[in-house]
């Protein structure tokens, strides 16, 4: 059993959900998203973010517009498309069910009186 | 102390230590390799470069004098090295390979250069990925292969297209590791016109000025020589001018093709690719030597692959057809939900495919025809002095050639290149301008043909009789004593083989040996020779004048004695072997006809030279009411045998009386 692999699989699934939720709160550029993830305690490599964003954009979950930046090159500000929003809602529902189930499954069973 | 250089990364000007820059370059190159299988690789790399530029910019803003190696290390740590990214299980392939160890072995084997195989490149394709796959196999820049394909597609007459389609069907598609190294780009930073010269300069490590000079040199040469000759079109310079002229044309075409085909170097990585490693003669020689050793091996492998491919070609074709029909049905069913709608859209799609096919064939045939017309136009170029009545007609002819022939040709080339480069968006402006130019071409062609047609509308004859200065001859002997007319090779770029007899063309005259000979019964007892010269023109006077100035002097002054007692006189009718048309008189269907009237009971004979030296035949030009009715060359079979004596019978026919050859005239 490869523990590293399992971990990365789990992280990857969650990462997509987190990115979508960060963008759902408002237009964001990759720098914002990384900062948000970090402040939430999810340490990700920025290199993982770009392919994911590109893939989501190519799947028409995200759209972007260029915004001039005072510090550095123009930034891509991403926002959710309708399709992306529907996808996010699906993910959220799944996540809620899953986390509830996982919580229940992993928490010690209450002793019956 | 480390050298600090300034780089432009995603539009940010950044000071950076040279070793740090090298590190950054290497990092981006590994990222590129790492994301090779990813769909939006270039976009990902561009985004990451942008982010790196932003982070570096922040560093400089905070007060760092320059980006150091440590800074780059930190950046790589933040962005993630390829190894770290692989650990995150990032790309789809990586997960697949981890779950399927056998697949991973196979895919690494494929990327191994020692076992490089020919695939179509699914990753970097424009049409079918054949060129890109071939480039990856040979280890060269795909742009070179694509450019070669375009050039060869025109010069090989569609053979390359066929080869391309065959390879498309026969080669398996795979994600081929793309060519790494120096690539051709246009350099937008140093551009004057399109950045082509600047990009080539960067590639060959030469100043852009040098490349520009090379592109412009034919034009400059032309100007220099125009000044030297004082604008005089001296005949010796014509050949030179033509060759320089075609060089100008060639360099312009080359520049435009490169402009269209080369990508712009926008990202820093592309700029690095453009400059690449220094290429000098030694390294090229080294590569050539290395390549020659591998060539044999490669060829053997390749032939094996071709053989294998040929073996399962039928299967491939079926798969291809199935996939295609699947795609068609998918497209049909996604479009229309109802059955009727489905049928309708299926019919529509089939019609589209059908028409695309038909139009493709028509376009190809037209292109070939137009090319032929163009070539003929160039070949008949020296005739222009003989054709155009005035300079406006000449201008019209040139405009017709350019607008009617070259515009669609250019349009087709541009369309093909745009298609090859994958521009899906149609350019309405381009289309409309081409169509309006072409429409103009049609109008001009029509006007031109009308104008030329009028030149041939009226035909006139000048009839003169040739005096026979011999008393009471009993026979005529027609002969040609002048040497045979051959093409004199005065026009340097016209070379004919097997057709050099019977005509000649020089700068100021056109000579033709086409003569019509007719026989008739004389109304009295003497021979008569009637010379009918004819020509066409815009009006009667013009046509008549042209006919009258036509120079064809028949000589009937010599005779020799024949018969048992040398009592019979045979007049030698000596015909010139050609008539000449001066350039100032223009070619307007000038013709010469000789009518020989023979009294009943007298004889006539024809020398072999008539057959040898003259082109017996007649051109029929019939133009009326503003339209061409008939233009026909009658290669009339001469009804009489050469060397036979014919006698005029009372019924007006000529009958052979002996088949012994006549004695040679003195």
């Amino acid at each position: 059993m490869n523990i590293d692999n399992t971990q990365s699989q789990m992280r990857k699934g969650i990462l997509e959900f987190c990115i979508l939720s960060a963008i759902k709160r408002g237009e964001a550029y990759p720098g914002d998203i990384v900062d948000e993830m970090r402040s939430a305690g999810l340490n990700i490599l920025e290199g993982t973010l770009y392919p994911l964003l590109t893939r989501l954009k190519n799947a028409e979950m995200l759209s972007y517009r260029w915004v001039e930046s005072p510090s550095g090159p123009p930034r891509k500000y991403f926002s959710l498309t309708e399709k992306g929003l529907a996808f996010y809602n699906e993910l959220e529902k799944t996540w809620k069910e899953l986390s509830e189930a996982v919580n229940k499954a992993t928490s010690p069973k209450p002793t019956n009186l | 102390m480390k050298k600090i250089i300034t780089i432009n990364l995603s539009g940010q000007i950044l000071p950076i230590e040279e070793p740090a820059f090298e590190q950054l370059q290497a990092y981006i190159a590994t990222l590129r390799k790492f994301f090779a299988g990813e769909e939006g690789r270039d976009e990902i790399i561009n985004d990451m470069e942008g982010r790196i530029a932003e982070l570096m910019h922040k560093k400089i803003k905070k007060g760092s004098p320059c980006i150091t190696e440590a800074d780059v290390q930190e950046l790589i740590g933040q962005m993630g090295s390829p190894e770290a990214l692989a650990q995150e299980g990032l790309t789809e392939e990586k997960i697949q390979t981890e779950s399927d160890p056998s697949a991973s072995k196979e895919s690494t084997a494929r990327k191994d250069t020692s076992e490089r195989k020919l695939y179509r490149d699914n990753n970097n394709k424009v049409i079918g990925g054949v060129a890109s796959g071939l480039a990856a196999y040979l280890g060269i820049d795909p742009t070179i292969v694509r450019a070669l394909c375009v050039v060869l597609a025109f010069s090989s007459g569609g053979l390359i297209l066929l080869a391309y389609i065959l390879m498309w069907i026969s080669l398996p598609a795979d994600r081929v590791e793309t060519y790494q190294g120096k690539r051709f780009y246009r350099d937008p930073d140093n551009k004057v016109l399109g950045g082509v010269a600047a990009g080539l300069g960067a590639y060959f490590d030469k100043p852009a000025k040098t490349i520009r000079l090379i592109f412009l040199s034919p034009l400059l040469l032309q100007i220099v020589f125009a000044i030297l000759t004082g604008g005089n079109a001296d005949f010796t310079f014509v050949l030179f001018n033509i060759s320089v002229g075609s060089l100008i044309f060639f360099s312009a075409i080359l520049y435009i093709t490169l402009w269209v085909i080369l990508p712009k170097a926008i990202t820093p990585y592309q700029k690095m690719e453009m400059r690449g490693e220094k290429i000098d003669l030694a390294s090229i020689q080294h590569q050539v030597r290395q390549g020659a050793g591998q060539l044999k091996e490669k060829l053997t492998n390749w032939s094996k692959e071709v053989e294998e491919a040929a073996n399962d070609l039928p299967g491939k074709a079926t798969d291809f057809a199935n996939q295609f029909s699947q795609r068609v049905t998918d497209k049909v069913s996604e479009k229309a939900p109802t059955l009727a709608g489905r049928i309708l859209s299926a019919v529509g799609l089939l019609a589209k495919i059908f028409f695309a096919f038909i139009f493709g064939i028509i376009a190809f045939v037209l292109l070939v025809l137009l090319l032929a017309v163009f070539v003929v136009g160039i070949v008949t170029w020296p005739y222009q002095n003989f054709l155009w009545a005035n300079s406006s007609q000449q201008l019209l002819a040139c405009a017709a050639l350019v607008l009617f022939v070259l515009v669609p040709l250019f349009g087709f080339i541009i369309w093909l290149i745009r298609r090859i480069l994958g521009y899906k968006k149609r350019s309405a402006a381009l289309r409309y301008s081409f169509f309006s130019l072409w429409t103009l071409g049609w109008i001009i062609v029509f006007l031109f043909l009308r104008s030329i047609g009028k030149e041939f509308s009226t035909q006139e004859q000048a009839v003169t009789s040739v005096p026979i200065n011999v008393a009471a001859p009993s026979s005529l002997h027609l002969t040609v004593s002048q040497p045979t007319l051959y093409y004199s090779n005065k026009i340097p770029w016209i070379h004919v083989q097997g057709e050099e007899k019977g005509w000649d063309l020089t700068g100021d005259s056109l000579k033709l040996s086409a003569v019509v000979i007719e026989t008739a019964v004389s109304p009295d007892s003497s021979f008569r020779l009637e010379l009918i010269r004819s020509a066409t023109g815009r009006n009667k006077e013009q046509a008549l004048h042209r006919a009258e100035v036509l120079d064809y002097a028949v000589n009937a002054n010599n005779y020799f004695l024949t018969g048992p007692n040398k009592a019979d006189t045979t007049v030698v009718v000596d015909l010139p072997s050609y008539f000449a048309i001066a350039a100032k008189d223009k070619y307007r269907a000038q013709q010469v006809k000789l009518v020989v009237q023979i009294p009943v009971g007298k004889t006539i004979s024809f020398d072999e030279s008539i057959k040898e030296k003259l082109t017996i035949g007649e051109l029929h030009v019939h133009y009326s009411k503003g339209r061409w009715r008939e233009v026909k060359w009658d290669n009339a079979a001469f009804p009489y045998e050469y060397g036979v004596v014919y006698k005029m019978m009372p019924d007006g026919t000529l009958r052979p009386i002996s088949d012994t050859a006549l004695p040679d005239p003195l």
Side-chain angles (χ1 to χ4, degrees), chain B residues 78 117 160 196 282 291 411:
Chain B
Q78 190 179 340
K117 282 177 100 178
I160 284 288
V196 173

Side-chain angles (χ1 to χ4, degrees), chain A residues 4-5 8-9 11-12 29 31 38 45-48 50-51 54-55 57 70-73 75-76, chain B residues 10 12 35 38 43-44 47-48 50-51 54 57 77-79 84-85 87-90 92 95 98:
Chain A
D4 274 358
N5 189 20
S8 74
Q9 291 272 32
R11 281 167 63 94
K12 186 177 171 278
Y29 93 101
R38 289 223 175 97
L45 291 169
E46 282 196 43
T48 56
Y50 291 94
T54 305
R55 234 178 271 157
K57 185 211 76 186
S71 61
R75 296 162 168 181
K76 271 182 185 174
Chain B
S10 293
Q12 300 302 299
F35 288 121
E38 196 75 19
E43 193 178 353
I44 295 169
D47 288 351
M48 288 179 83
R51 176 66 172 160
E54 182 175 8
H57 184 84
Q78 190 179 340
M79 301 298 288
L85 291 176
Q87 277 263 310
E88 294 264 310
L90 185 85
E92 310 280 353
I95 291 159
E98 272 164 62

Side-chain angles (χ1 to χ4, degrees), chain B residues 376-564:
Chain B
V376 167
I378 285 175
V379 168
T380 55
W381 183 244
Y383 283 107
Q384 61 162 332
N385 284 337
F386 297 92
L387 271 181
W388 323 139
N390 47 46
S391 54
S392 71
Q393 215 170 43
Q394 184 177 7
L395 201 69
L396 215 56
C398 289
L401 186 73
V402 169
L403 289 176
F404 190 64
V405 180
L406 292 184
V407 160
L409 192 68
F410 262 68
F412 185 73
I413 293 172
I414 288 174
W415 173 82
L416 198 73
I417 287 171
R418 283 176 69 90
R419 189 68 204 83
I420 284 172
L421 291 181
Y423 290 124
K424 295 242 167 60
K425 230 166 81 183
R426 294 195 191 114
S427 165
L430 261 183
R431 209 165 23 152
Y432 286 131
S433 49
F434 271 116
F435 269 96
S436 44
L437 279 176
W438 202 43
T439 314
L440 195 64
W442 272 101
I443 295 166
I444 286 176
V445 162
F446 179 75
L447 286 177
F448 170 66
L449 286 180
R450 240 185 100 86
S451 162
I452 278 286
K454 276 206 176 135
E455 289 284 316
F456 289 89
S457 59
T458 315
Q459 189 168 38
E460 281 298 318
Q461 295 183 335
V463 183
T464 50
S465 82
V466 179
I468 301 173
N469 295 329
V470 178
S474 61
S475 183
L476 288 190
H477 182 68
L478 267 60
T479 185
V480 179
S481 62
Q482 264 183 8
T484 314
L485 176 70
Y486 285 110
Y487 172 50
S488 58
N489 266 315
K490 283 274 169 55
I491 311 289
W493 61 96
I494 293 187
H495 296 289
V496 282
Q497 258 182 358
E499 296 288 335
E500 52 285 80
K501 206 167 113 179
W503 65 279
D504 189 23
L505 184 65
T506 56
D508 47 35
S509 78
L510 169 68
K511 296 174 181 168
L512 294 170
S513 67
V515 174
V516 182
I517 298 174
E518 269 180 17
T519 53
V521 192
S522 170
D524 49 33
S525 62
S526 52
F527 284 101
R528 276 201 189 85
L529 292 171
E530 205 168 60
L531 188 67
I532 303 172
R533 292 165 297 167
S534 62
T536 61
R538 199 168 270 278
N539 49 43
K540 273 193 165 195
E541 294 81 58
Q542 242 185 32
L544 196 63
H545 173 74
R546 278 200 186 103
E548 278 167 351
V549 296
L550 206 58
D551 180 28
Y552 195 74
V554 178
N555 176 353
N557 296 331
N558 298 322
Y559 64 96
F560 58 96
L561 301 172
T562 49

